[in-house]
Amino acid sequence: MTFFKPTLSRLALGMTLALGLTAGAAAQTIVKIGYATTKESHYGVGSTVFCDEIEKGTQNRYKCQQFPSSALGGEREMTEAVQLGTLDIVNTSTGPIGNFVPEVKIVDIPFLFRDYDHARKVMDGPIGQDILGKFPSKGIIALGWTENGFRHMTNNKRPIVKPADAAGLKMRTMENKVHMDGYRTFGILPTPMAFPELFGALQQGTVDGQENPIPVILASKFAQVQKHLSLTGHVYSPALLLMSPRTWTKLTDADKKVFTDAAKKAGAAQRKKVNDDENTGIAQLEKDGMTVVKAVDGAAFREALTPAYASYAKEFGAENIKKIQDVR
Ligand code: EAX
């Protein structure tokens, strides 16, 4: 019986192949990234660009596994998982983030930003970049700003033109005290709730309404459970790519730069998707059956906020609020 006698060259080839495959397989690290809305949404667009960029920039040594549509829970839950190191990255609105890094809360003040250009200039400038620097001491790495968008009110009771129309409505809010204090001045009854529970709560009528940017209202199909949309634009909702320090510290300096550059490109892509959704989304939502109030009495809402601004000035410093308002 003749046994297969591996010649030396066959053996060497076999070893090289095995080593090569093992090295190839062993060298690839999976990075898990979670976010609240669908893969087709602005968060999905930003996260996909981020993933493409890190795979390209690390020659596939890092590969993403995406968890869209709140598959890993609400934004607060996912951020806790990032802090614990059980989730590598979350692409999240600042909604619950003030509970982790208090310095973020100032950007959640209603009617603080004039428009998208103003908001993006602040986030990309010294004020926004300085806030990113406050995360590491709280056990989170902030890779960069992405974007959720200007928030508008929806509800099932009546059109909202001025604060008096919103008074008495039970509105779901994010777990965000700055928002809740502001909305109370409109007479709203704020009900903080994690995003994954929102669609069901609207469907059952547990809450009358909610507030979110057009991209979220579109992606989450809120037109199926909400009749009225009012373009209040009462809050600019920034978003962030947050990373676990456990994952971050394993990166080489070169790969850290790949990740932060990827976050910048993700932010730009997410902002573009927000612009696109803002341009086409309102007509789409009307087609989907929503009645849209376009001429909201913004001055009346700003006026109503006066008492809240007094407490914001106490909490954040009037000069810090003015610094943001003065960015041109
Ligand atoms: O970040 O909770 C919210 O209303 C957020 O806007 C949503 O999860 C997308």
Side-chain angles (χ1 to χ4, degrees):
M1 183 193 283
T2 53
F3 286 89
F4 166 69
K5 266 200 289 185
T7 62
L8 203 58
S9 54
R10 278 209 191 98
L11 203 61
L13 177 66
M15 289 285 282
T16 320
L17 265 178
L19 272 178
L21 280 178
T22 329
Q28 189 168 73
T29 305
I30 298 295
V31 174
K32 292 181 291 183
I33 177 168
Y35 47 92
T37 49
T38 60
K39 191 129 187 294
E40 299 67 35
S41 71
H42 52 327
Y43 283 100
V45 167
S47 302
T48 300
V49 165
F50 176 77
C51 292
D52 292 347
E53 288 299 316
I54 65 163
E55 287 162 17
K56 223 170 24 187
T58 64
Q59 301 78 42
N60 267 324
R61 285 178 288 106
Y62 284 88
K63 190 160 179 45
C64 278
Q65 190 181 359
Q66 295 195 43
F67 294 88
S69 306
S70 303
L72 300 179
E75 293 180 328
R76 182 189 187 117
E77 225 174 321
M78 288 191 276
T79 305
E80 282 162 358
V82 162
Q83 243 180 356
L84 283 171
T86 52
L87 176 61
D88 300 297
I89 296 175
V90 62
N91 189 352
T92 174
S93 77
T94 54
I97 304 304
N99 301 299
F100 297 86
V101 182
E103 291 85 351
V104 170
K105 294 197 283 190
I106 191 170
V107 297
D108 291 325
I109 292 176
F111 294 112
L112 178 65
F113 296 98
R114 294 184 299 278
D115 51 34
Y116 278 105
D117 183 51
H118 176 212
R120 293 164 181 174
K121 272 204 181 97
V122 171
M123 308 328 281
D124 295 345
I127 295 171
Q129 296 307 300
D130 181 49
I131 293 173
L132 298 181
K134 308 289 183 195
F135 280 78
S137 64
K138 298 294 191 322
I140 300 172
I141 303 296
L143 294 174
W145 293 102
T146 55
E147 182 170 83
N148 195 17
F150 274 92
R151 304 179 76 90
H152 304 293
M153 292 180 194
T154 68
N155 82 93
N156 270 335
K157 297 282 184 199
R158 49 185 176 265
I160 297 174
V161 177
K162 56 190 181 307
D165 304 323
L169 290 178
K170 212 170 161 208
M171 299 284 273
R172 176 270 178 179
T173 71
M174 296 203 275
E175 298 153 285
N176 183 304
K177 193 176 170 308
V178 173
H179 287 181
M180 292 168 70
D181 291 350
Y183 302 165
R184 279 196 190 92
T185 68
F186 305 150
I188 278 172
L189 308 173
T191 312
M193 184 188 294
F195 187 73
E197 295 154 43
L198 177 51
F199 190 92
L202 293 169
Q203 204 164 31
Q204 282 131 39
T206 322
V207 288
D208 301 317
Q210 63 87 45
E211 39 85 52
N212 246 294
I214 298 296
V216 174
I217 299 169
L218 274 172
S220 311
K221 302 201 180 321
F222 285 162
Q224 291 176 2
V225 288
Q226 291 281 267
K227 183 77 195 126
H228 303 283
L229 165 62
S230 296
L231 302 183
T232 46
H234 55 278
V235 156
Y236 170 72
S237 185
L240 290 149
L241 272 168
L242 303 178
M243 185 167 185
S244 164
R246 220 165 75 166
T247 320
W248 176 256
T249 44
K250 290 178 191 151
L251 297 177
T252 62
D253 287 349
D255 285 345
K256 282 177 180 158
K257 185 160 182 334
V258 168
F259 274 60
T260 44
D261 289 350
K264 274 199 185 62
K265 288 193 176 153
Q270 197 157 325
R271 288 173 176 175
K272 185 182 174 314
K273 176 64 174 150
V274 169
N275 288 343
D276 295 347
D277 283 353
E278 289 268 4
N279 291 333
T280 58
I282 293 158
Q284 181 60 51
L285 291 167
E286 285 178 311
K287 228 171 98 215
D288 296 344
M290 292 192 93
T291 57
V292 183
V293 173
K294 293 170 182 151
V296 167
D297 185 348
F301 276 100
R302 284 178 177 76
E303 179 61 30
L305 267 171
T306 310
Y309 258 79
S311 62
Y312 295 147
K314 261 203 221 96
E315 180 173 357
F316 303 111
E319 70 289 351
N320 293 320
I321 294 173
K322 191 173 178 311
K323 253 191 235 158
I324 292 175
Q325 291 168 330
D326 290 349
V327 169
R328 296 279 166 210

